[in-house]
């Protein structure tokens, strides 16, 4: 067990990307429900407002940041604003992502590939770059990067998405190694197939009722925000409920 789940996050600040729907929406609710002030990032204002209403109704607080993560300088500015207003960040959840197209590698359009890499990889690096100093100012900085089983499964037609998630994990592992001696803990997550819009796009014929809900999955992922968590540089497999180590040959 990675955490008994009894922790609180009162007085803490959490940044969640892709908070307008799906797994990110429910992660934002989980974090706010434990007392964190949530900075909720996505493009869809309606989804962010719905989240804000739910968080407020439950007694929590949020700041909404409508932002397109392909706008790299906007990510830099967000880091600057967090520094000015709060002086630190306690939890980063890099959750926003896109699927691209599921098709043979040679059929993928260049603009689709570039956009996928921009959102799934470059924006995550840019977030890491801007939040790393802020997370180190926290007494228990936690970074949670959303990966996928696709990063390891090498399935036909999933090439670009799989490559993007393998890149996210590689970034996370290097970052974890660099920060091992600090209070920052960095881990990736494989949520497993989850009942969201992305999954419906990926596997349209599937009965969504057979899949765990994003609320169920988020209730597990949030355990990586526990201030008592010691693990870093690992991947949390939600379905198996296991924190897995990578083989590090050196
Ligand atoms: P959804 O498609 O339901 O939600 C994706 C979120 O990312 C939305 O909030 C969307 O907000 C945001 N987003 C996408 N593009 C941008 C952008 N350019 N700028 C800002 N925000 C953006 O996805 P899921 O909840 O299913 O997935 C969440 C994460 O989990 C992803 O990283 C995904 O790869 C991963 N994952 C999901 C699995 C599943 O089965 N669902 C399985 C394995 C991994 P908006 O459109 O409002 O901008």
């Amino acid at each position: 067990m990675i955490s008994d789940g009894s922790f609180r996050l009162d007085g803490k600040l959490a940044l969640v990307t892709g908070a307008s729907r799906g797994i990110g929406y429910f992660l934002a609710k989980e974090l706010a429900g434990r007392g964190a002030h949530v900075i909720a990032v996505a493009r869809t204002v309606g989804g962010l407002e719905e989240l804000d209403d739910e968080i407020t109704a439950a007694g929590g607080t949020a700041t909404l940041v409508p932002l397109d993560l392909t706008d790299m300088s906007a990510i830099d500015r967000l880091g600057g604003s967090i520094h000015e207003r709060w002086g630190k960040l306690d939890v980063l959840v890099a959750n926003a992502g896109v699927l691209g197209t599921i098709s043979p590698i040679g059929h993928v359009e260049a603009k689709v590939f570039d956009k996928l890499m921009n959102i799934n990889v470059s924006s995550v690096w840019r977030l890491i770059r801007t939040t790393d100093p802020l997370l180190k100012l926290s007494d228990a900085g936690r970074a949670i990067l959303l990966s996928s089983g696709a990063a390891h499964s090498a399935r036909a037609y999933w090439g670009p998405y799989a490559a993007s998630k393998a890149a996210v994990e590689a970034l996370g592992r290097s970052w974890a190694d660099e920060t091992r001696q600090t209070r920052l803990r960095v881990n990736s997550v494989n949520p497993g197939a989850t009942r969201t819009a992305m999954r419906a796009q990926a596997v349209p014929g599937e009965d969504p009722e057979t899949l765990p809900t994003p609320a169920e999955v988020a209730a597990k992922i949030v355990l990586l925000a526990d201030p008592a968590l010691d693990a870093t540089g690992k991947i949390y497999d939600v379905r198996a409920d296991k924190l897995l180590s990578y083989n590090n040959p050196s």
Side-chain angles (χ1 to χ4, degrees):
M1 193 164 53
I2 59 174
S3 159
D4 65 9
S6 63
F7 64 96
R8 296 280 309 167
L9 296 171
D10 301 292
K12 295 200 180 277
L13 182 67
L15 169 61
V16 182
T17 67
S20 61
R21 62 171 187 269
I23 295 169
Y25 184 99
F26 290 95
L27 267 169
K29 274 185 67 179
E30 280 284 343
L31 291 159
R34 289 169 188 272
H37 180 76
V38 170
I39 302 171
V41 174
R43 290 165 305 178
T44 310
V45 173
L48 292 177
E49 285 176 348
E50 199 180 306
L51 172 70
D52 190 36
D53 288 347
E54 282 207 55
I55 287 177
T56 309
T61 58
T63 297
L64 308 184
V65 182
L67 184 151
D68 188 329
L69 288 164
T70 59
D71 183 349
M72 300 297 157
S73 46
I75 298 175
D76 299 345
R77 287 197 299 277
L78 177 61
S81 305
I82 294 172
H83 186 251
E84 258 173 49
R85 184 159 165 196
W86 289 283
K88 56 134 194 185
L89 178 67
D90 301 291
V91 181
L92 166 68
V93 184
N95 161 82
V98 292
L99 183 68
T101 44
I102 301 295
S103 70
I105 280 186
H107 295 190
V108 178
E109 285 181 56
K111 66 171 195 273
V112 172
F113 185 88
D114 290 346
K115 191 170 177 197
L116 171 83
M117 287 297 168
N118 237 343
I119 297 169
N120 290 11
V121 184
S122 301
S123 86
V124 173
W125 163 69
R126 205 73 173 218
L127 273 168
I128 291 172
R129 192 176 73 154
T130 200
T131 59
D132 169 77
L134 298 168
L135 287 162
K136 286 177 179 156
L137 289 167
S138 168
D139 59 356
R142 300 286 174 263
I144 303 169
L145 312 179
L146 268 286
S147 181
S148 164
H152 307 272
S153 60
R155 279 171 63 193
Y157 314 131
W158 285 68
Y161 177 79
S164 75
K165 292 303 185 180
V168 165
E169 288 191 26
L171 286 172
R173 291 169 71 187
S174 291
W175 190 23
D177 205 37
E178 288 165 19
T179 54
R180 206 169 284 282
Q181 305 306 328
T182 72
R183 292 181 297 255
L184 176 56
R185 310 281 87 179
V186 179
N187 293 289
S188 296
V189 178
N190 171 13
T194 307
R195 197 188 307 171
T196 68
M198 183 189 286
R199 180 68 190 183
Q201 184 195 344
V203 190
E206 187 175 50
D207 177 2
E209 297 297 319
T210 61
L211 301 174
T213 64
E216 288 164 339
V217 169
K220 290 192 160 188
I221 297 174
V222 77
L223 301 180
L224 292 171
D226 187 340
L229 181 83
D230 190 40
T232 196
K234 309 226 180 250
I235 178 150
Y236 176 48
D237 184 320
V238 172
R239 278 290 173 84
D241 195 17
K242 282 204 171 100
L243 202 50
L244 305 172
S245 295
Y246 293 96
N247 292 325
N248 195 341
S250 58

